[in-house]
Amino acid sequence: MKRISFTALILLLFASLFCSTIEVGVNCTIKTITEAIQAAAPGDVIRVHDGLYQETLSIDKKLTIVSDYYYDQDESHIQNTSISSPSSEQAVVCDSDESEITITLAGLTVVGGNRAVKLDSNVKVNLLACNLYAQAESDVAVVVAQPTTTLKLRNSALNASNGKGVQATGANVEVTKCEIGSNESAGISFDGDNVATLSVANSILYSNQTGIDIRDAMGNVTLNHVTIADNLTGIRLRSSNLIVTNSIVYDNGTQLSNISGSCAVSYSDFEGGFGGEGNIDLDPLFDPGNNGSYDLRWDQYGKSPCIDSGDWTTAGDQDGTPPDMGAYTAVNHRFDIWSFPKADENGGWRWFCIPAVDNVLTYPVQNTADALFGGMIDMEILDQVKWNASNTLQSISLLDDEWTNLDHVVNPVQGYKIHMNENATLNYHLEVPGFNPDFNTVMQLSATTDNWIGYFLPETRLAVDLFDSIKDDVNYIKAQRWALERIDGEWIGDTDVSLNYGEMVVVSVHHTCNFQWDTDALISDPDAYPFPEHFDFTEKSEYVPFFIEYSPTFENEEIAITVDGVVKGASVVFGSLTQVNGYLADDDEDGYQGGSHMGEVDFIIWCPVRGNTRKIDDYYVYNESVRRVVHSKIDLADKRDFYYVSFDEESVIDAPPAMALTHYPNPFNPETTISYSLDHEDEVAVDIYNVKGQKVRTLVRGVQAEGAYQVTWQGDDNTGHPVASGIYFCRLKSGSQTLVRKMMMLK
């Protein structure tokens, strides 16, 4: 049968810590299970080792009887630990004069004559991870539950009987993650007797005469994530109320025989159609290549319409995707929902990638632009999607009333810029199921063009760490909201910025090189970028970063770039260095390199506290030839990659690096000495983080003067306990500046 991780057995393990365990087997003192039952006290655990036990068990007290599967999760123990009745009756009888005792059988094969297991009065019985059979030639039932009993059947198989799989009358029954098939009568025969309830979940009823036969159920009978297929009759309903959700009822001779009762179906694949929310009537495409199972196909030949089609308001599948219909979930994949702006948000622009695409199904191809963007290909919604590949700027756009490049195959490692149509007044959402590329995928970065690359690691990580392996080759990195430039081997910009799953960056390098995202980069929190409220400007697909050095007088000051008095970009000021994106191009097609940009460049500071603005037309600009800021005006005809501006002649860019951070030895065991220097007095923190971004140890916290310092890390956490071997990060933060260094502990 199809085994699923069996957490219920783990719960039994904890329960067994508070009771005695009796072992049964050929090499044990007790040879038979019957002897163990007689010797056991209520609540004991009976551990049955591999073997054939030809005996009939009569259980009348609270007991747990398990195979070695319960201890090591080796499924072979289930088939190799067999209880077989020597008579023509049942192998196990559960009966008690006491009220509601609980009996548990786990990880066993039980073979009976007329029955494998019979529940008589009062008992609650759990059958967990069991294979259950009845061998008699007459009409039998594998499991029989009498009135006033409770049956929980989980992760078990009931197959190939000459009668019913489960027969319950007046018993409360829960069936979860079970396979019930090839029975000559009903897979489940349930007579509610007007008092009992039935719920079936994540189970399959197949190749029976009737999948499930329900009668006289006063309360609701529920089927959730159930597959009913290849039965002569799928469901027979008599004087009962049935609720079916997230299920598949298909390929039966008759899907539903509703003699009398009510049936509500939603978010299910029901052959012949069924009224209700979310229902479909499509071939579920069971996977015949997986030993004839009822898995949902998703391969090069087809994709089941039941994948990700269940009720979104219920719990999703184990891989975090929307629920699939039926008993078996599809292969692990992602399901991403991408939101694109309205025309009046960010100028209608978004820089993005699609990290997970359907690269499995080959016909029809699912990751072409036409298939992927679907309803967005509309002149009232989309203006263009553009990308740079092989030194060529390409786009999906409307040309002579025809959309171009709809056959473009969307690549997860490719970065894109999308622009919404001016009539797009609502946010548009794109649902994309698919598979991430290998996280170690290598991308070649060209020195002759800008490289538009997508970020597909699932965690938000620090950008400078992600590019640490090629930092000496980088000219600049530009995301939609931030940029990092290199001057004299140092990063210019906010080194605390990060990349989020599904974003893209434009990377320029001065040597063609191979690059892959560093999966050991420090995990960080997503960035928050408040938008300026005072200044209006038009965002475009290209910008030039202006790094403006000045310390604000009040909180939430805003600074804007103007060209001939027209605002070309603005930002809220944080710290002493603020990046403002200058949208300088005359039009988005030409971009900065091809546009006309002559004009007077000035800056305007808006102070919300005072409610006024002041113009800055006298400033200092970094001059690359002398490698310092000089008193001058910006000449846009230079067409630089960036501009570094200071409102003060005493710029930090003329000083030595504000901080230095090293450590020795590396790798180390068990301690390393961390050396760092400061060029001014400030609040200082030295912290150690693990690869998950969790703070492990605080080494320094407080105000320190200018100078050089050393601190030793003993390889312990804040509680004094030694940390495990692996990669760690030392992070030095002083004021608005941060340095991070990777270190490795080897034991």
Side-chain angles (χ1 to χ4, degrees):
M1 66 172 292
K2 188 184 186 77
R3 293 292 173 195
I4 306 172
S5 179
F6 199 41
T7 56
L9 289 180
I10 303 303
L11 297 177
L12 290 179
L13 176 61
F14 286 105
S16 69
L17 297 176
F18 305 98
C19 58
S20 298
T21 299
I22 300 173
E23 297 197 33
V24 177
V26 65
N27 296 320
C28 300
T29 302
I30 297 179
K31 309 297 184 183
T32 69
I33 304 172
T34 300
E35 290 179 75
I37 293 171
Q38 292 170 349
D44 282 352
V45 172
I46 297 175
R47 178 177 182 177
V48 184
H49 296 290
D50 288 7
L52 174 60
Y53 298 85
Q54 292 186 308
E55 50 187 307
T56 299
L57 305 185
S58 180
I59 309 172
D60 60 356
K61 51 191 167 186
K62 180 181 179 181
L63 289 176
T64 298
I65 303 175
V66 298
S67 72
D68 288 336
Y69 169 61
Y70 156 55
Y71 295 91
D72 62 15
Q73 298 290 284
D74 182 347
E75 293 184 7
S76 66
H77 294 306
I78 299 174
Q79 195 66 38
N80 293 335
T81 310
S82 178
I83 302 169
S84 180
S85 172
S87 72
S88 61
E89 295 301 318
Q90 53 272 353
V92 178
V93 179
C94 301
D95 189 8
S96 176
D97 293 332
E98 299 180 27
S99 176
E100 297 187 344
I101 68 164
T102 300
I103 299 167
T104 299
L105 279 69
L108 302 165
T109 292
V110 183
V111 182
N114 285 329
R115 308 170 189 88
V117 180
K118 181 183 179 185
L119 285 61
D120 281 335
S121 59
N122 298 322
V123 294
K124 293 182 177 180
V125 175
N126 301 321
L127 300 177
L128 312 176
C130 289
N131 293 333
L132 305 166
Y133 304 94
Q135 294 183 321
E137 295 181 0
S138 59
D139 186 19
V140 296
V142 180
V143 177
V144 175
Q146 301 282 58
T148 73
T149 63
T150 298
L151 171 64
K152 291 186 178 180
L153 186 65
R154 297 181 181 175
N155 285 79
S156 295
L158 292 77
N159 296 313
S161 84
N162 291 305
K164 302 176 179 69
V166 176
Q167 179 178 331
T169 302
N172 294 311
V173 179
E174 293 181 17
V175 178
T176 308
K177 296 181 180 178
C178 290
E179 296 180 353
I180 304 176
S182 301
N183 297 288
E184 292 191 1
S185 185
I188 298 176
S189 176
F190 178 76
D191 185 341
D193 201 23
N194 297 325
V195 294
T197 60
L198 169 66
S199 68
V200 184
N202 302 98
S203 297
I204 179 167
L205 302 163
Y206 67 99
S207 300
N208 305 286
Q209 184 181 65
T210 301
I212 183 167
D213 190 342
I214 308 163
R215 70 176 72 188
D216 295 333
M218 291 294 290
N220 289 326
V221 175
T222 60
L223 308 182
N224 185 31
H225 289 288
V226 177
T227 296
I228 302 176
D230 292 327
N231 304 280
L232 292 180
T233 299
I235 302 170
R236 179 177 288 115
L237 192 62
R238 293 178 274 189
S239 302
S240 300
N241 300 319
L242 175 63
I243 297 176
V244 181
T245 55
N246 301 315
S247 294
I248 299 172
V249 183
Y250 222 88
D251 286 338
N252 303 285
T254 300
Q255 311 310 316
L256 172 64
S257 175
N258 190 352
I259 298 171
S260 59
S262 66
C263 183
V265 180
S266 61
Y267 293 96
S268 296
D269 189 3
F270 209 101
E271 185 174 3
F274 206 103
E277 186 174 3
N279 291 328
I280 61 176
D281 177 16
L282 297 169
D283 185 343
L285 293 183
F286 295 129
D287 186 359
N290 194 4
N291 300 318
S293 77
Y294 293 88
D295 288 294
L296 301 177
R297 168 180 278 181
W298 192 349
D299 56 24
Q300 65 269 35
Y301 303 111
K303 177 184 174 183
S304 169
C306 300
I307 295 173
D308 299 328
S309 298
D311 185 356
W312 284 52
T313 64
T314 62
D317 292 337
Q318 288 184 336
D319 60 3
T321 62
D324 298 338
M325 296 173 177
Y328 301 151
T329 58
V331 292
N332 285 343
H333 63 286
R334 287 192 65 97
F335 189 96
D336 296 322
I337 301 176
W338 301 110
S339 177
F340 296 99
K342 299 182 290 186
D344 59 356
E345 293 179 1
N346 308 333
W349 285 100
R350 178 173 178 180
W351 297 21
F352 74 107
C353 69
I354 299 183
V357 296
D358 183 357
N359 53 13
V360 176
L361 182 60
T362 56
Y363 183 80
V365 177
Q366 293 296 294
N367 54 342
T368 61
D370 193 19
L372 197 61
F373 293 109
M376 289 182 65
I377 310 297
D378 186 306
M379 62 181 300
E380 295 294 309
I381 298 174
L382 181 66
D383 176 36
Q384 63 173 314
V385 179
K386 62 180 184 177
W387 62 97
N388 190 29
S390 302
N391 295 341
T392 304
L393 190 65
Q394 304 178 51
S395 71
I396 299 166
S397 57
L398 200 59
L399 180 64
D400 297 330
D401 296 326
E402 294 289 336
W403 289 95
T404 62
N405 287 322
L406 292 183
D407 58 349
H408 167 68
V409 177
V410 174
N411 188 336
V413 304
Q414 175 69 61
Y416 299 88
K417 298 180 183 180
I418 190 170
H419 189 233
M420 309 306 288
N421 187 274
E422 62 183 9
N423 296 312
T425 57
L426 300 174
N427 290 107
Y428 194 89
H429 296 88
L430 188 66
E431 299 171 0
V432 185
F435 305 87
N436 284 117
D438 189 304
F439 293 157
N440 294 317
T441 296
V442 176
M443 297 164 277
Q444 186 178 73
L445 304 183
S446 171
T448 61
T449 185
D450 281 347
N451 302 274
W452 296 22
I453 60 174
Y455 179 69
F456 47 80
L457 300 186
E459 307 90 356
T460 298
R461 294 184 183 266
L462 202 65
V464 292
D465 279 359
L466 288 167
F467 287 93
D468 187 64
S469 63
I470 62 165
K471 63 182 179 182
D472 293 335
D473 286 314
V474 171
N475 296 317
Y476 57 77
I477 305 166
K478 290 170 65 175
Q480 187 169 4
R481 290 279 161 257
W482 55 262
L484 291 168
E485 303 276 347
R486 297 283 284 178
I487 296 181
D488 295 334
E490 297 295 328
W491 290 112
I492 298 298
D494 183 359
T495 54
D496 280 338
V497 293
S498 57
L499 271 174
N500 304 309
Y501 179 80
E503 293 182 338
M504 67 84 85
V505 287
V506 177
V507 183
S508 171
V509 293
H510 50 263
H511 293 105
T512 296
C513 59
N514 289 331
F515 169 72
Q516 63 188 70
W517 295 116
D518 187 346
T519 56
D520 291 328
L522 186 67
I523 295 176
S524 62
D525 295 326
D527 300 316
Y529 296 99
F531 284 87
E533 298 177 356
H534 182 75
F535 297 104
D536 292 324
F537 57 92
T538 300
E539 183 170 337
K540 300 181 180 181
S541 68
E542 304 289 345
Y543 71 84
V544 179
F546 287 71
F547 299 104
I548 302 172
E549 180 187 331
Y550 96 97
S551 297
T553 306
F554 299 97
E555 290 186 0
N556 299 320
E557 287 187 1
E558 295 180 11
I559 186 168
I561 302 166
T562 65
V563 178
D564 289 338
V566 179
V567 175
K568 294 293 185 177
S571 179
V572 179
V573 179
F574 289 97
S576 60
L577 186 67
T578 298
Q579 177 183 326
V580 180
N581 295 344
Y583 301 102
L584 305 178
D586 290 337
D587 58 71
D588 295 316
E589 292 300 323
D590 288 342
Y592 174 56
Q593 294 299 322
S596 175
H597 311 291
M598 305 304 292
E600 182 81 12
V601 177
D602 297 310
F603 303 91
I604 299 176
I605 297 174
W606 176 67
C607 178
V609 175
R610 293 176 173 173
N612 61 10
T613 60
R614 60 189 175 99
K615 182 178 179 181
I616 307 293
D617 55 10
D618 186 36
Y619 49 84
Y620 298 82
V621 181
Y622 176 73
N623 186 304
E624 194 170 8
S625 61
V626 297
R627 300 171 67 181
R628 63 184 180 87
V629 297
V630 297
H631 189 253
S632 67
K633 299 285 284 187
I634 290 175
D635 184 0
L636 294 178
D638 291 344
K639 299 179 182 178
R640 296 186 185 177
D641 294 334
F642 72 98
Y643 295 93
Y644 190 99
V645 178
S646 176
F647 296 164
D648 188 341
E649 184 177 10
E650 298 298 323
S651 169
V652 298
I653 205 168
D654 293 327
M659 296 187 296
L661 176 63
T662 60
H663 60 281
Y664 183 85
N666 185 36
F668 65 96
N669 176 28
E671 65 180 40
T672 186
T673 298
I674 297 165
S675 303
Y676 61 97
S677 61
L678 310 170
D679 71 337
H680 67 282
E681 180 176 293
D682 211 333
E683 183 78 20
V684 174
V686 179
D687 299 294
I688 306 297
Y689 292 80
N690 61 23
V691 294
K692 295 181 179 179
Q694 299 166 327
K695 186 183 294 184
V696 171
R697 182 80 160 86
T698 296
L699 298 174
V700 176
R701 183 76 66 184
V703 176
Q704 291 186 327
E706 175 184 351
Y709 298 85
Q710 286 187 340
V711 62
T712 298
W713 181 39
Q714 303 286 347
D716 57 352
D717 61 20
N718 280 328
T719 66
H721 292 94
V723 299
S725 297
I727 294 173
Y728 295 85
F729 297 88
C730 179
R731 181 169 179 169
L732 167 65
K733 188 172 180 62
S734 175
S736 62
Q737 301 182 79
T738 301
L739 290 177
V740 178
R741 296 291 181 264
K742 185 187 301 184
M743 52 179 51
M744 177 176 289
M745 172 181 279
L746 295 177
K747 293 185 178 179

